[in-house]
Amino acid sequence: MSAPPELPEIVSRAFDVSRRAGYVSFCRNETGRLLAALAATRGGTLAEFGTGCGVGTAWLRSGIRNGARILTAELNAKLAGAAAEIFADDPQVEVLAADWSTLAEHGPFSLLFLDSGIPSEVTVDRIVDLVEPGGIVVLDDFVPCEMWPPITAGRVDTLREGWLSDERFTAVEVMIAPDASVVVATRR
């Protein structure tokens, strides 16, 4: 492990809320530490699609500086309410119980964190205008792949292929653990 085992206090609170809500589908600590490091380089508004109970949001919050703010949307109202509880007294974080597409009216964003779980929702064409020039997109929940084109479950992973080859972004797949990777893409 190349990071200290201690978690930021806000992340620990988010884990506690997730446990109480019975929600176990949250970003890994390796992804979280990457999010915190990237958030520390950003100003303006950062966004997250798919808040869950707020673990990813907490990692982003642990990194932001200089008055940056975070806007996050969760479709499941129960989960959004649990996440909002974590950030109730934090003016730099707003949790919306809404579909991710409602965030479009608040962009463009300096950093956008989203899950690769529903590939048709997070294609480059659907996301590009939500990110400012120089802005960063982080997509998580990939399984590392050592070939090109990338193959997942015996098929070409067209989502990953699209992000890694689109000329509007400079992108790289980053292995965060032996069984997990993220795509980090910076808009040109």
Side-chain angles (χ1 to χ4, degrees):
M1 175 188 285
S2 62
E6 301 82 27
L7 298 175
E9 190 271 331
I10 190 76
V11 174
S12 292
R13 281 194 353 233
F15 277 129
D16 290 342
V17 167
S18 290
R19 281 187 207 98
R20 285 195 309 273
Y23 187 74
V24 295
S25 182
F26 40 76
C27 83
R28 300 168 66 125
N29 288 344
E30 298 90 347
T31 302
R33 291 187 191 287
L34 176 62
L35 289 172
L38 292 172
T41 71
R42 307 280 90 196
T45 303
L46 291 68
E48 177 187 23
F49 297 171
T51 313
C53 282
V55 173
T57 310
W59 277 111
L60 287 168
R61 179 62 181 99
S62 74
I64 63 170
R65 307 284 182 265
N66 305 322
R69 65 185 215 102
I70 301 167
L71 186 60
T72 184
E74 171 57 52
L75 186 58
N76 181 310
K78 178 184 173 195
L79 297 179
E85 171 186 321
I86 300 163
F87 305 103
D89 297 324
D90 190 335
Q92 290 180 274
V93 179
E94 183 178 356
V95 179
L96 302 174
D99 181 77
W100 72 264
S101 62
T102 63
L103 293 180
E105 63 196 54
H106 302 282
F109 303 106
S110 63
L111 185 149
L112 179 57
F113 173 49
L114 40 101
D115 190 276
S116 66
I118 304 174
S120 62
E121 297 274 321
V122 293
T123 62
V124 176
D125 288 337
R126 293 209 55 194
I127 301 300
V128 65
D129 291 331
L130 300 176
V131 183
E132 64 190 30
I136 298 171
V137 176
V138 179
L139 293 103
D140 76 341
D141 294 335
F142 288 101
V143 174
C145 181
E146 297 178 2
M147 59 182 48
W148 190 261
I151 305 291
T152 302
R155 295 192 173 140
V156 173
D157 183 342
T158 57
L159 176 65
R160 184 177 354 201
E161 181 183 42
W163 276 99
L164 292 172
S165 61
D166 194 284
E167 292 184 7
R168 296 169 286 185
F169 287 87
T170 300
V172 63
E173 182 173 354
V174 178
M175 202 165 129
I176 58 163
D179 63 340
S181 64
V182 299
V183 170
V184 179
T186 302
R187 185 167 177 196
R188 295 177 190 231

